Amino acid sequence: MVKMTLEDVAREAGVSLATVDRVVNGRNGVHARTIERVNAAIKLLGFHPDQHASRLARGRDYDFRIILPTGENEFMQALDAEFRATRERQLQERVRLSIQYVDTFDGEALAAALERLPSSIDGVAVVALDHPAVTEAINALADRGVVVLTLVSDVPNSRRAHFVGIDNYAAGRTAASLIGRFVGPRKGKVGMIAGSLALRDHVERQFGFEQVISREYANLEVLPVREARDENARVETVSRSLLRDHPDLVAIYNAGGGQAGVVAALEATGRVSDVIFVAHELTASTRRHLVRGTVDALINQDVGHMARSTARILTALREGRPIVPGQEHIRIDIFLRDNMP
Amino acid sequence: MVKMTLEDVAREAGVSLATVDRVVNGRNGVHARTIERVNAAIKLLGFHPDQHASRLARGRDYDFRIILPTGENEFMQALDAEFRATRERQLQERVRLSIQYVDTFDGEALAAALERLPSSIDGVAVVALDHPAVTEAINALADRGVVVLTLVSDVPNSRRAHFVGIDNYAAGRTAASLIGRFVGPRKGKVGMIAGSLALRDHVERQFGFEQVISREYANLEVLPVREARDENARVETVSRSLLRDHPDLVAIYNAGGGQAGVVAALEATGRVSDVIFVAHELTASTRRHLVRGTVDALINQDVGHMARSTARILTALREGRPIVPGQEHIRIDIFLRDNMP
DNA sequence: CTGAAAGCGCTTACAG
DNA sequence: CTGAAAGCGCTTACAG
């Protein structure tokens, strides 16, 4: 299999290099008949464009913006760190990532940030609140030809090109199955804590969780979900009240952050060993609690994978190339003490 | 941050392009003083070489060989399919993968295949038996400057550059924890089936599995491991005898292939619901059994990830670039019915 | 709607 | 041990 170049295609089709380039990259201003002739030659010769030559010739780097929430959420900080690492590596690939921090919980502020993006931008990935102003801003960008990706929490009704994150509904179901299985035949109550029900991801987790418990584990009863804003102190307060009010509490699922709060409450009340605790996100601290057994299982979305995937998808879509679905699918990782990375 | 080129470095260091290239790529025949001057300029300017230009200029494609086992093992066929898909994509990246099939269980044959590799080859990834002749062949290649990767099953005492696969010891421990948790307080026997104890991966799984069960689940007793060559029929025979001989069998762990054999035995004896079954590898058929509940949990290594990772690692090491550990780590996936991809 | 030419930032012989 | 020049396979203005 000899490698074919644009040159070969041009010769075969009887046109110039520039024209073949136009056809290959779908630029307009080419006669339909010419397009056909070129495509025939491409097919005949089995031509595949050379990525490296193309990126080199283009000269300009791609300019992508990543919008992350302000605040001290441990998960978001881990994601931020991975984006920084990816940014350094992508510099050698002619891709420029710039990271911007916005109060994601404020729909108007987020929409304004999106609207203020320089017109030279090639694409943007955003941790988005599902809010009408945000949807509008995303659609406006998409209409301008900017590639828009949603990160972690989706805005499915917008014209974003892709969502980088897990199926949170399935994550909630997974948590439920783990708890159902680990609790075994015991009867009792299950407490669920979320960060905020304003973000779509936690709502979806709640929905999946309650569905599986109620449908498959008749011995368990899910208590009304409590919001705790991903803050350790609030999570601890909520956990303590759950433990106090329900002597028959057999499990806790914290779908948000602030896992240390649950741990503190479990330890203070001496109920570590009889209450199953399923948490989200592998961090230095959840890892430790998993090893000790305070956390029984962890559900994780790999922040490194998400950052790398975001960069790849932005670039591929910008270049009009297809993405590799299997490579970009963010898994719902289940970690027990034994299979942590 | 302006983008710096070799040209800029050459000017700053007062040498030619060719000399900077020599330093950047560690080619020899450069005076120590010159090397220092060039490195100083690189540091001063914050120069990063342009991957695309370099791959383009090199002209020649990389030529990598993938050696997979002959036979009809479903997992290996899935891996093969992923390598074929990766091969097509890599063509556009100036990387050529060729796939070769060898009887991996025959150490001498495998070693001979490795020795017969054309000298023009840039790297090889091999599903390797841990056998003295194989180790020798791997070391000979490594000494010749060929990048050698082991795939799926490692040969840790060889000079292979990297192992692409999971920590099988941890995978065995994970299976044990899942079974211990899912069985709950019931007392009983646990059957373990392996493909072959000649391959290192299954031995490691066995070791990890037995360790965790014996150390942490006093209510469970692991029966002597049975080999069944990853064949459905053999696996079914073994499973039937386990079920017949042990009315108190509470779980089965099949560390190898042939999962359909376990399913058939469980269904025939009507013990699907009281025997926990943990299996390996997500395939069309294990997926179905997981949904139905015959398989309680699946441990998986992502074949798509392995194929892509292999290509990336071969290329990076061949170019003397560092790999990104987080990206290349093959996870021990745990799949319940709820979090399958 | 189409083409000729310059150039992207490296590597590769070749010469000295 | 070092350098000058050609070339990798595209894209980008510019011209017509």
Side-chain angles (χ1 to χ4, degrees):
Chain A
M1 191 168 24
V2 192
K3 107 197 50 167
M4 290 295 152
T5 69
L6 264 201
E7 187 87 46
D8 298 317
V9 176
R11 197 180 314 111
E12 176 69 31
V15 298
S16 75
L17 265 185
T19 296
V20 180
D21 172 76
R22 290 183 183 105
V23 175
V24 167
N25 293 291
R27 312 187 211 286
N28 47 20
V30 185
H31 195 101
R33 194 168 357 100
T34 313
I35 296 185
E36 261 184 38
R37 223 181 314 146
V38 171
N39 279 330
I42 287 174
K43 200 159 186 184
L44 178 70
L45 300 180
F47 166 76
H48 291 286
D50 185 304
Q51 300 274 330
H52 300 293
S54 141
R55 289 278 264 287
L56 175 60
R58 166 173 276 114
R60 215 170 51 78
D61 288 7
Y62 289 119
D63 198 357
F64 298 128
R65 177 68 55 89
I66 313 296
I67 300 183
L68 300 179
T70 49
E72 36 173 69
N73 181 316
E74 205 176 357
F75 170 71
M76 289 300 174
Q77 290 186 343
L79 184 60
D80 183 29
E82 290 291 348
F83 269 114
R84 288 163 186 273
T86 300
R87 175 178 59 187
E88 297 316 305
R89 274 185 242 108
Q90 291 288 325
L91 272 182
Q92 295 174 54
E93 303 266 333
R94 315 194 126 238
V95 170
R96 200 165 296 256
L97 298 182
S98 57
I99 310 177
Q100 179 185 353
Y101 307 90
V102 175
D103 179 358
T104 313
F105 276 97
D106 182 342
E108 302 291 348
L110 179 54
L114 289 170
E115 282 156 11
R116 244 182 277 113
L117 250 25
S119 62
S120 61
I121 211 91
D122 291 295
V124 53
V126 55
V127 176
L129 187 69
D130 193 357
H131 177 285
V134 174
T135 309
E136 273 302 298
I138 288 176
N139 290 345
L141 283 167
D143 290 345
R144 244 173 60 196
V146 178
V147 178
V148 183
L149 268 42
T150 47
L151 258 178
V152 181
S153 191
D154 196 12
V155 185
N157 298 316
S158 69
R159 288 197 282 287
R160 93 282 189 277
H162 198 91
F163 166 57
V164 178
I166 59 173
D167 176 345
N168 285 295
Y169 173 70
R173 284 187 285 138
T174 304
S177 286
L178 287 166
I179 283 179
R181 292 290 210 147
F182 284 12
V183 166
R186 282 192 291 158
K187 282 176 83 86
K189 305 276 196 320
V190 180
M192 171 167 176
I193 305 169
S196 154
L197 298 178
L199 278 183
R200 212 189 160 78
D201 50 354
H202 290 194
V203 177
E204 290 175 345
R205 288 175 191 175
Q206 178 196 359
F207 189 68
F209 185 75
E210 291 180 344
Q211 190 183 55
V212 166
I213 295 281
S214 70
R215 190 173 293 171
E216 296 179 25
Y217 297 97
N219 55 319
L220 301 179
E221 180 192 334
V222 182
L223 296 165
V225 64
R226 310 283 297 262
E227 290 181 82
R229 298 203 206 160
D230 303 324
E231 292 165 18
N232 288 338
R234 259 174 226 273
V235 170
E236 180 171 350
T237 307
V238 166
S239 303
R240 279 178 182 269
S241 88
L242 282 170
L243 288 161
R244 183 184 352 96
D245 301 347
H246 304 282
D248 62 339
L249 192 84
V250 291
I252 293 179
Y253 170 43
N254 183 5
Q259 309 298 356
V262 180
V263 170
L266 285 171
E267 286 177 345
T269 55
R271 288 168 71 182
V272 167
S273 59
D274 56 287
V275 173
I276 298 294
F277 174 29
V278 172
H280 272 266
E281 314 312 349
L282 184 68
T283 64
S285 106
T286 55
R287 170 189 292 271
R288 201 169 56 243
H289 297 307
L290 189 56
V291 170
R292 282 201 207 149
T294 319
V295 170
D296 292 277
L298 221 44
I299 293 176
N300 182 256
Q301 45 190 332
D302 189 314
V303 284
H305 188 188
M306 293 175 78
R308 292 185 291 269
S309 182
T310 298
R312 276 193 302 257
I313 295 174
L314 284 169
T315 309
L317 295 183
R318 187 57 239 267
E319 294 186 334
R321 281 185 294 116
I323 66 174
V324 181
Q327 180 169 28
E328 310 313 348
H329 176 258
I330 311 295
R331 300 172 194 72
I332 299 169
D333 298 324
I334 297 176
F335 291 134
L336 304 183
R337 172 212 281 160
D338 309 285
N339 71 323
M340 285 187 304
Chain B
M1 188 167 29
V2 193
K3 108 198 49 168
M4 290 295 153
T5 68
L6 263 202
E7 186 88 47
D8 299 316
V9 177
R11 199 181 312 112
E12 176 69 30
V15 298
S16 75
L17 266 185
T19 296
V20 180
D21 172 76
R22 290 183 184 106
V23 175
V24 167
N25 294 291
R27 313 185 210 285
N28 47 19
V30 186
H31 195 101
R33 192 164 3 97
T34 313
I35 296 186
E36 261 184 37
R37 222 183 314 147
V38 171
N39 279 329
I42 288 175
K43 200 159 188 183
L44 178 70
L45 301 180
F47 166 77
H48 290 286
D50 185 305
Q51 300 274 331
H52 300 293
S54 140
R55 288 280 264 287
L56 177 59
R58 166 173 275 115
R60 215 168 51 79
D61 289 7
Y62 289 119
D63 198 355
F64 299 128
R65 177 69 55 91
I66 314 295
I67 300 183
L68 301 178
T70 48
E72 36 173 71
N73 181 316
E74 207 176 356
F75 169 71
M76 290 300 174
Q77 289 185 344
L79 184 60
D80 183 29
E82 290 292 347
F83 269 114
R84 287 162 185 273
T86 299
R87 174 177 60 186
E88 298 315 305
R89 275 185 242 108
Q90 291 286 327
L91 271 182
Q92 296 174 53
E93 304 265 334
R94 315 193 126 240
V95 170
R96 201 164 294 256
L97 298 181
S98 57
I99 309 175
Q100 179 184 354
Y101 307 90
V102 174
D103 179 358
T104 313
F105 276 97
D106 181 342
E108 301 292 348
L110 180 53
L114 288 169
E115 282 156 10
R116 241 182 278 115
L117 249 25
S119 61
S120 62
I121 211 91
D122 292 294
V124 54
V126 55
V127 176
L129 187 69
D130 193 357
H131 176 286
V134 174
T135 308
E136 272 304 296
I138 289 177
N139 290 346
L141 283 167
D143 291 344
R144 243 173 60 195
V146 177
V147 178
V148 183
L149 268 42
T150 46
L151 258 178
V152 182
S153 192
D154 195 12
V155 185
N157 298 317
S158 69
R159 289 197 281 287
R160 92 282 189 280
H162 198 89
F163 167 57
V164 178
I166 59 173
D167 176 346
N168 284 295
Y169 173 70
R173 284 187 285 136
T174 303
S177 286
L178 286 167
I179 284 178
R181 293 292 210 145
F182 284 12
V183 165
R186 281 192 292 157
K187 285 177 81 86
K189 304 275 197 322
V190 180
M192 173 169 175
I193 305 168
S196 154
L197 298 178
L199 277 183
R200 212 186 160 80
D201 50 353
H202 290 194
V203 176
E204 290 175 346
R205 288 176 192 174
Q206 178 196 0
F207 189 68
F209 184 75
E210 290 178 345
Q211 189 182 57
V212 166
I213 295 282
S214 69
R215 190 173 292 172
E216 296 178 26
Y217 298 96
N219 55 318
L220 301 180
E221 180 193 333
V222 182
L223 296 166
V225 64
R226 310 284 296 264
E227 290 181 81
R229 299 204 206 160
D230 304 323
E231 292 164 17
N232 288 338
R234 258 174 227 273
V235 170
E236 179 171 350
T237 306
V238 166
S239 303
R240 279 179 182 268
S241 88
L242 283 170
L243 288 161
R244 183 185 350 97
D245 300 347
H246 305 281
D248 62 338
L249 193 83
V250 291
I252 293 179
Y253 170 41
N254 183 6
Q259 309 298 356
V262 180
V263 170
L266 285 171
E267 286 178 343
T269 56
R271 287 168 70 184
V272 168
S273 59
D274 57 286
V275 174
I276 299 293
F277 173 28
V278 171
H280 272 266
E281 315 311 350
L282 184 69
T283 64
S285 103
T286 55
R287 169 189 292 272
R288 201 170 55 244
H289 296 308
L290 189 57
V291 169
R292 283 200 206 149
T294 319
V295 169
D296 291 277
L298 221 44
I299 293 176
N300 181 257
Q301 45 190 332
D302 189 314
V303 284
H305 188 189
M306 294 175 76
R308 293 184 293 268
S309 183
T310 298
R312 276 193 302 257
I313 294 174
L314 284 169
T315 309
L317 296 184
R318 187 57 238 268
E319 293 185 336
R321 282 184 294 116
I323 67 174
V324 182
Q327 181 169 27
E328 310 313 349
H329 176 257
I330 311 296
R331 300 173 194 70
I332 299 170
D333 299 324
I334 298 176
F335 290 134
L336 304 182
R337 173 213 278 159
D338 309 284
N339 71 323
M340 284 187 305

